[in-house]
Amino acid sequence: MPPEPARSVHATWLYTLASLVFFYGFFDLIVGLSLFELVLAERTPLILTILVLQLLATATQLRYCWFLRVGRGGGLPHPAWTVALVAPAALVWVLGLAVPGIAVASAMPLWAAATLVAPLLPKPRRGLLLLAGTAARAGHVWAAFSLHGGARAAPDGSTVWMIGFFAVMLPVMALTSLWWWEVVVRLDRNRRTAGELAVAQERLRFASDLHDIQGHHLQVISLKSELAERLLDREPERARELVHEVRLIAKEALEETRSLVAGYRQVAFDEELENAREVLTASGAVCTLRLGAVPTDAGVQRALGSVVREATTNILRHSEARAVTIELAANGESCELRITNDGVASPTGPVRRPGQGRGTGLDGLRDRLTAIGGALSTEADPASGTFRIVANAPTTAGVPA
């Protein structure tokens, strides 16, 4: 199942849809008022029928605008919807030939239907349909003049220019709106891809660190074990020393692996900040750094770096943030790290399941900060849609803040 679009993308579609509905609705209103003026003047059953069909064509046009969400060339919806769109407009086109004075107005519903269907077709067929719609519109006016004569078939000049202008703008409005919508959708897909690549990059970095640790130690263990095996009969004391060294190396590898997984391996705090800004920017968010004095204690830097890394990962995986602010302020013997974003869908962080080891998620960060005399808290503001992680730590590990 494809991921749900971001809230901003959904809002953009609603804006695009509202623009299309407003433009087509305003156009149909002008056409309808032109027909309604003739109804007030004559009130014949034929004119009333044309007006009712025009209103039905308007309703189907406004509903059909929703199907444009698939974008240009995205394909037509169920054939029944296209039939419902074209049928009343075609009847207005035909019946309008029998009434003088509405040559332009009665040709417009079918033209509007063509401009709604055309964007959903492939490019060559799109152009052919618009040309056919233009020919049908011109042919309708010519046929009305032929049937009723120039004087009787001529429409009211006060509205014909407005109808003509909006008729020309209909395909331009539809195609440019869908072009803009496609740009937004493509940008959202690229943002998601960038976020996934950033997460993959972080995983590769972790895998590379793990390989550096395990690869070296395992190679040494393999060589020393092979040598001990060869010396077991000839020099048992030397073989015993090698086995002892293998045990020490294996213990060292285990400790380094645990340190890596727990996040205690030394990574410069400024590098974590730059990595966070890089991956957040790549995912489409604006990352702002506001840094005061950075603690010099290595343990405090490791703990704060873990907070930055975990918060960045959570933003990439669980939020639709457009702006992220990372602030570090020092005050005497304590410092405060605040990471704020405007796109967290849920104010709750990752929850540690029963039996799951510590060291991951917000619970793991609390444990690390508590171990050095610090604390971690979260703040959610539903009104502004922001979520903030606040980490307090002493400037020297082990000193209560």
Side-chain angles (χ1 to χ4, degrees):
M1 179 179 296
E4 291 295 325
R7 289 173 296 184
S8 57
V9 175
H10 183 66
T12 302
W13 164 244
L14 292 180
Y15 172 80
T16 304
L17 177 63
S19 301
L20 291 169
V21 169
F22 175 81
F23 198 88
Y24 276 88
F26 189 76
F27 174 74
D28 289 329
L29 177 63
I30 298 173
V31 175
L33 289 176
S34 177
L35 296 175
F36 185 70
E37 184 179 359
L38 191 59
V39 170
L40 294 179
E42 300 187 19
R43 298 186 181 180
T44 62
L46 180 58
I47 297 176
L48 287 173
T49 301
I50 293 175
L51 180 61
V52 171
L53 289 172
Q54 162 63 21
L55 294 176
L56 181 59
T58 298
T60 54
Q61 288 171 23
L62 299 184
R63 175 61 181 87
Y64 207 86
C65 288
W66 178 265
F67 299 120
L68 298 180
R69 184 168 186 171
V70 296
R72 294 174 299 173
L76 297 174
H78 193 279
W81 280 108
T82 304
V83 172
L85 174 70
V86 175
L91 289 175
V92 172
W93 191 94
V94 174
L95 296 178
L97 294 174
V99 180
I102 60 170
V104 175
S106 58
M108 291 302 110
L110 189 60
W111 168 246
T115 61
L116 283 171
V117 174
L120 300 177
L121 299 176
K123 197 170 185 179
R125 296 171 58 190
R126 182 189 312 156
L128 291 176
L129 179 58
L130 291 177
L131 287 176
T134 303
R137 183 177 52 175
H140 183 277
V141 176
W142 176 83
F145 273 73
S146 300
L147 290 173
H148 304 291
R152 297 189 63 205
D156 185 1
S158 61
T159 57
V160 65
W161 67 269
M162 186 177 296
I163 294 177
F165 172 76
F166 276 92
V168 173
M169 292 302 297
L170 280 181
V172 177
M173 170 67 177
L175 291 173
T176 54
S177 297
L178 292 185
W179 172 82
W180 169 251
W181 165 240
E182 291 170 5
V183 169
V184 173
V185 171
R186 190 174 295 113
L187 288 175
D188 180 65
R189 290 174 180 169
N190 291 341
R191 181 189 70 84
R192 292 178 179 276
T193 301
E196 293 172 358
L197 289 175
V199 174
Q201 183 181 7
E202 178 64 17
R203 290 175 177 172
L204 288 175
R205 185 180 72 86
F206 178 84
S208 177
D209 291 344
L210 186 61
H211 176 269
D212 291 343
I213 293 174
Q214 297 288 5
H216 170 73
H217 288 301
L218 290 177
Q219 182 69 23
V220 174
I221 290 173
S222 175
L223 292 175
K224 288 185 175 291
S225 299
E226 181 180 356
L227 181 58
E229 184 180 11
R230 293 178 179 179
L231 297 177
L232 189 60
D233 295 331
R234 294 179 298 169
E235 300 181 37
E237 290 298 326
R238 176 58 179 159
R240 186 179 297 105
E241 293 178 1
L242 290 173
V243 171
H244 178 69
E245 292 177 5
V246 167
R247 183 179 66 82
L248 293 179
I249 294 172
K251 182 179 179 181
E252 180 182 356
L254 180 60
E255 291 175 351
E256 291 187 9
T257 302
R258 287 174 176 172
S259 298
L260 175 63
V261 174
Y264 286 113
R265 194 179 186 207
Q266 178 65 37
V267 177
F269 181 58
D270 56 349
E271 292 183 7
E272 290 290 358
L273 292 172
E274 288 302 323
N275 289 338
R277 178 158 59 180
E278 180 180 346
V279 297
L280 289 172
T281 301
S283 70
V286 177
C287 183
T288 304
L289 301 180
R290 298 173 184 169
L291 305 179
V294 177
T296 57
D297 187 276
V300 175
Q301 287 196 20
R302 282 196 296 268
L304 295 180
S306 299
V307 174
V308 173
R309 185 166 55 248
E310 181 67 25
T312 302
T313 302
N314 285 345
I315 292 172
L316 292 173
R317 291 180 176 176
H318 307 302
S319 84
E320 299 165 356
R322 297 182 297 273
V324 180
T325 303
I326 302 176
E327 303 171 273
L328 178 65
N331 182 16
E333 295 184 351
S334 65
C335 60
E336 183 178 80
L337 176 67
R338 301 165 66 91
I339 303 176
T340 307
N341 75 85
D342 63 352
V344 173
S346 171
T348 58
V351 178
R352 188 174 64 227
R353 296 180 177 84
Q356 181 180 348
R358 295 178 181 270
T360 60
L362 297 183
D363 288 347
L365 294 180
R366 289 190 180 93
D367 293 344
R368 296 179 195 178
L369 289 169
T370 301
I372 63 172
L376 182 77
S377 62
T378 59
E379 302 172 3
D381 186 358
S384 61
T386 59
F387 181 73
R388 180 179 297 110
I389 293 178
V390 181
N392 293 283
T395 55
T396 303
V399 178

